[in-house]
Amino acid sequence: MTIVSAQRRGSFLGVVDRHWRKNGYSLRAINNHADAPAMYAETKDGFVVSLIVADKGQVHFDVDSPCVQQSEVADPARQATAPLDPEAEVIPRPNIHSDFWSAETPEVGVTSSR
């Protein structure tokens, strides 16, 4: 839920890209779209991972398993207890400010990975 500003999205994707490569992931595709950049990689054991930056800097990580069989899923045993705001948007938007990732200035002169 951290706001990743447009000015810092490239840096964020760079950090994730370096981490994935360091851990042996092979990059499958990169989408350099200015508003909705994305990266897709595959692990050595066949999992496909993706990072997508969507509306207002909402970052999504998804993982697809290489071998899953369809199975029945039981209904929840209890009702959810978290309060739901009836006026809230269907898709929550990022709302947590980070002095670094939410900054609206480009990252300059950083040499270490985060």
Side-chain angles (χ1 to χ4, degrees), residues 44-55:
K44 292 176 185 175
D45 49 357
F47 287 84
V48 176
V49 294
S50 61
L51 176 142
I52 301 166
V53 181
D55 189 41

Side-chain angles (χ1 to χ4, degrees), residues 73-97:
V73 176
D75 289 331
R78 297 186 312 169
Q79 287 286 82
T81 58
L84 297 175
D85 180 357
E87 307 231 352
E89 297 179 53
V90 175
I91 300 173
R93 300 295 181 229
N95 62 1
I96 298 172
H97 177 83

Side-chain angles (χ1 to χ4, degrees), residues 4-108:
V4 180
S5 70
Q7 295 83 351
R8 298 290 172 108
R9 290 178 195 158
S11 294
F12 183 76
L13 271 70
V15 169
V16 174
D17 176 40
R18 287 188 298 277
H19 175 78
W20 284 355
R21 289 176 193 264
K22 178 181 171 186
N23 287 282
Y25 295 22
S26 60
L27 231 44
R28 297 175 88 189
I30 296 175
N31 176 349
N32 290 321
H33 190 277
D35 295 325
M39 296 188 320
Y40 306 87
E42 187 170 348
T43 67
K44 292 176 185 175
D45 49 357
F47 287 84
V48 176
V49 294
S50 61
L51 176 142
I52 301 166
V53 181
D55 189 41
K56 303 197 189 297
Q58 178 71 51
V59 176
H60 301 267
F61 283 96
D62 294 312
V63 179
D64 294 327
S65 172
C67 53
V68 173
Q69 293 181 348
Q70 187 75 19
S71 63
E72 294 288 325
V73 176
D75 289 331
R78 297 186 312 169
Q79 287 286 82
T81 58
L84 297 175
D85 180 357
E87 307 231 352
E89 297 179 53
V90 175
I91 300 173
R93 300 295 181 229
N95 62 1
I96 298 172
H97 177 83
S98 160
D99 288 342
F100 182 81
W101 292 116
S102 305
E104 295 185 3
T105 57
E107 182 180 7
V108 179

